[in-house]
Amino acid sequence: MATIADVARVAGVSLSTVSYALSGKRPISPETRRRIQGAIAELDYRPHAGARALASAQTRTIGLMAPLRTGVDLNVVMQFVSGIAAAAHSYEYDVLLVTHGDESDVARVTSGSMVDALVVMDVEADDPRLRQLRRLKQPVVLIGLPGDTEGLSCVDFDFGRAGTLGAQHLIDLGHRDIALLGAPPEVLERHTSYAERMNSAFAQVAAAADVGYRELSVPSSVTGAQTAVAELLGPAAGVTGVLVHNEIALPHIVAGLTAAGRSIPDDVSVIAVGPENVALSLPRPLTSIDLPAERIGRIAVEMVIAQLDDGGKSSEVRLLGPALTDRGTTAAPRPA
């Protein structure tokens, strides 16, 4: 089997020159690159994706940055990943999954010839990676919506409209005291875009309708959910309509309401925001605003492929609008 030293010998260059050509870390003259390409072809040298990139100018690989941070539901993340992987496969691309997501990781994945393009998840409102992502030569698509989208391509669920839809549905039913049980504290502390958009829209609709409302950040644990339910049902609380945007805590919230003797929807109307299977997995399927995670993943890949086909980066924002599926867990509040 040919080695990198064999390639250097046949091409008449140093081993380090071949290494730089494969990694892309230093510029190589066109003539030297042609000699290295010829040696690779002659020797059928196949070390890794970098060599394939040199020979074909493409790795046929899309990098996916899906950071496994605290407070993130891995099951939901994997629905996005599933959509991305399936779409990439249909275009004959592989996916390189990166489970860290700092600026150094962006550089590590994109500085050489590892990937042709990048999809980035878990986007913050003022994401520290944005400046770096804008400068990359590879196409980039964000699954998420930062505060400043200039020069970026983004696709996401419209969490703002989802918060509006959930709050308005409860208000239209006649609820005058509503609550949002939302993302864990660590997600909000990172200013993760989707959580902030949901919370802001919910509060704006409730305030405009002059109804009482509360926003509780719920830890992703049984204890956290139980504490939130206890606070929700405290002596001074009169909440009769609840929007839950926390997939991990959702079943524990429902269990907590049931254990407290609160019937759904007779005593408390409940709407879930998340992937459809989460709302359907409970003993009683919940009225929900379904998050199309796999579809968003597929669209992200389609946007990447379009940029690769056009030979350059583009700036585009696509938000998928929400729809409410009524499964009978919301109703008008009982008369006092």
Side-chain angles (χ1 to χ4, degrees):
M1 180 179 293
T3 67
I4 189 171
D6 295 326
V7 173
R9 176 179 51 80
V10 172
V13 299
S14 68
L15 191 148
S16 61
T17 299
V18 177
S19 177
Y20 292 143
L22 293 175
S23 68
K25 291 182 178 179
R26 291 191 183 180
I28 303 296
S29 70
E31 174 59 29
T32 300
R33 183 173 293 274
R34 282 194 293 270
R35 284 157 54 193
I36 294 172
Q37 288 175 332
I40 287 173
E42 178 182 338
L43 297 169
D44 194 25
Y45 175 63
R46 300 177 182 179
H48 49 63
R52 292 196 301 272
L54 183 64
S56 67
Q58 283 191 325
T59 66
R60 305 297 297 184
T61 300
I62 296 170
L64 169 59
M65 305 200 75
L68 300 185
R69 294 169 172 159
T70 57
V72 174
D73 187 347
L74 182 57
N75 293 319
V76 176
V77 171
M78 291 311 297
Q79 290 195 28
F80 285 100
V81 173
S82 176
I84 291 166
H89 179 76
S90 70
Y91 287 102
E92 299 184 345
Y93 274 78
D94 291 318
V95 175
L96 174 64
L97 177 60
V98 181
T99 55
H100 296 84
D102 295 332
E103 293 167 88
S104 61
D105 299 300
V106 174
R108 175 170 57 86
V109 173
T110 60
S111 61
S113 302
M114 295 176 66
V115 299
D116 295 335
L118 194 62
V119 175
V120 179
M121 295 179 58
D122 199 33
V123 176
E124 299 170 8
D126 187 19
D127 201 298
R129 300 169 294 183
L130 295 184
R131 182 178 177 183
Q132 185 179 15
L133 293 172
R134 288 186 175 99
R135 294 200 306 260
L136 291 178
K137 65 180 184 297
Q138 295 98 329
V140 178
V141 172
L142 308 184
I143 296 181
L145 190 66
D148 180 8
T149 61
E150 183 179 357
L152 298 168
S153 285
C154 312
V155 58
D156 201 7
F157 184 57
D158 195 335
F159 286 96
R161 285 178 59 193
T164 296
L165 178 61
Q168 195 63 57
H169 181 75
L170 294 171
I171 292 167
D172 289 345
L173 287 171
H175 294 276
R176 304 301 298 170
D177 200 338
I178 63 178
L180 169 62
L181 302 186
E186 56 268 39
V187 172
L188 291 175
E189 288 167 5
R190 291 196 299 267
H191 298 285
T192 307
S193 169
Y194 69 83
E196 291 194 338
R197 286 182 280 144
M198 170 70 70
N199 290 15
S200 176
F202 182 88
Q204 288 178 18
V205 171
D210 195 26
V211 302
Y213 69 93
R214 305 183 68 188
E215 296 177 18
L216 298 180
S217 179
V218 185
S220 298
S221 65
V222 175
T223 302
Q226 290 172 342
T227 301
V229 170
E231 186 173 347
L232 194 71
L233 303 179
V239 172
T240 59
V242 178
L243 181 67
V244 182
H245 181 210
N246 187 319
E247 294 90 351
I248 297 177
L250 177 63
H252 308 306
I253 290 170
V254 172
L257 291 171
T258 302
R262 302 300 176 95
S263 172
I264 301 173
D266 295 334
D267 299 315
V268 181
S269 290
V270 178
I271 304 171
V273 180
E276 181 182 38
N277 69 299
V278 176
L280 294 176
S281 66
L282 297 172
R284 177 174 182 179
L286 295 177
T287 292
S288 64
I289 299 172
D290 299 328
L291 168 65
E294 289 193 18
R295 183 183 171 201
I296 292 172
R298 291 196 301 271
I299 291 173
V301 172
E302 291 168 1
M303 293 170 69
V304 159
I305 298 299
Q307 291 185 53
L308 289 169
D309 288 345
D310 290 342
K313 298 174 70 172
S314 65
S315 178
E316 176 187 6
V317 175
R318 296 182 62 179
L319 293 179
L320 278 64
L324 186 142
T325 302
D326 191 342
R327 299 190 179 96
T329 60
T330 59
R334 286 178 170 178

